[in-house]
Amino acid sequence: MMGLLVVAPATLIPGRWATVGAIWLYCRAMTGWMALCGLNLLVRRLHVLPDTEPAVIASKHQSWGDGICLVSRHRELTYVIGDHMLKYPLVGWILTRAEAVVVDNAGGKRTNGGLDTGLQALQRSGRDVLIYPEGGLSEVGRKKRYRLGVYQLARVLNRPVIPVATNLGVFWPQQKWEFRPGLAIIEFLDPIYPGDDPKAFIAALETAIETRTAELVKAGRRGMG
């Protein structure tokens, strides 16, 4: 709630830049607060993001803090959100002002033209886009079905997909606002290019994210012990 109150005034300024800047400042402040609480953040291999073209960033989603931590290190991200977020008036307004891409949370279908509008804005702007392939939070050590939305997004935009593994959920459990001391890692993995076989692409993406995430979770738990 505090974050919403901090960011909301920026939405009154025309354009996207003020809202995005306020979100980024809030995210930076949050990672600073994490460090004060003994939870440090290490983002690895940002260099795999292409220099010459934008990418689709497909991340494991274990914690409310995933987006906060990613945005703190990558200000100019566009977010793919489920339309269920729009039922929270202030949240929906802020994300709309940030030009988030809205999809049907039930299956990645168009939501009142929001997907088409968001894709057009992405193509014009050339910004990287963040999506959670599982469509929501999953507990540490578990996974949900990987959806085809990430493949469709990458194909339409003609972009590589950068998988992201993490163990943040070990230290910032799901929907809780409490931190466990340690070193949380977010790691960018090698690009995967969407070919003509969506099932093969999803299988490769899931293997890359889940395999590395399991390794990071194991290391994180070992470090806590």
Side-chain angles (χ1 to χ4, degrees), residues 2 7 14 32-33 65-66 69 71 78 88 107 126 128 132-133 149 151-152 163 173 179 183 186 211 216-217 225:
M2 181 62 69
V7 173
W33 176 249
D66 290 319
C69 291
V71 172
T78 294
Y88 306 105
D128 293 330
Y132 297 115
Y151 172 81
Q152 295 164 348
F179 308 138
L183 178 64
I186 295 175
T211 299
L216 294 176
V217 166

Side-chain angles (χ1 to χ4, degrees), residues 3-170:
L4 298 178
L5 297 177
V6 169
V7 173
T11 65
L12 301 176
I13 300 174
R16 175 181 180 271
W17 68 271
T19 300
V20 170
I23 292 172
W24 178 76
L25 287 172
Y26 168 72
C27 292
R28 294 289 290 183
M30 279 298 300
T31 55
W33 176 249
M34 286 164 53
L36 288 175
C37 295
L39 174 53
N40 295 299
L41 175 66
L42 175 61
V43 179
R44 289 177 175 166
R45 305 186 78 238
L46 263 171
H47 68 273
V48 302
L49 286 171
D51 293 328
T52 57
E53 60 181 339
V56 174
I57 298 173
S59 177
K60 185 67 177 175
H61 195 16
Q62 297 176 336
S63 166
W64 270 350
D66 290 319
I68 290 173
C69 291
L70 277 171
V71 172
S72 75
R73 298 298 190 269
H74 192 336
R75 172 174 171 164
E76 282 300 317
L77 272 179
T78 294
Y79 333 117
V80 174
I81 62 169
D83 60 345
H84 67 289
M85 297 295 293
L86 301 182
K87 69 181 181 182
Y88 306 105
L90 189 53
V91 174
W93 171 245
I94 289 172
L95 291 172
T96 299
R97 294 292 290 164
E99 297 183 1
V101 178
V102 182
V103 297
D104 180 350
N105 200 56
K109 301 175 183 177
R110 289 179 175 85
T111 302
N112 298 325
L115 178 58
D116 288 338
T117 302
L119 289 176
Q120 291 168 10
L122 273 174
Q123 289 170 327
R124 290 194 302 269
S125 69
R127 294 189 296 268
D128 293 330
V129 58
L130 170 65
I131 186 171
Y132 297 115
E134 295 168 276
L137 284 166
S138 57
E139 294 181 24
V140 174
R142 297 189 180 185
K143 65 180 178 69
K144 295 181 178 178
R145 177 178 60 86
Y146 277 56
R147 303 181 181 189
L148 284 174
V150 59
Y151 172 81
Q152 295 164 348
L153 188 66
R155 286 281 286 187
V156 169
L157 295 173
N158 191 28
R159 296 183 181 183
V161 175
I162 309 296
V164 177
T166 183
N167 64 3
L168 183 63
V170 173

Side-chain angles (χ1 to χ4, degrees), residues 177-191:
W177 286 98
E178 60 183 43
F179 308 138
R180 299 167 181 166
L183 178 64
I185 297 173
I186 295 175
E187 185 170 312
F188 287 69
L189 309 176
D190 291 337

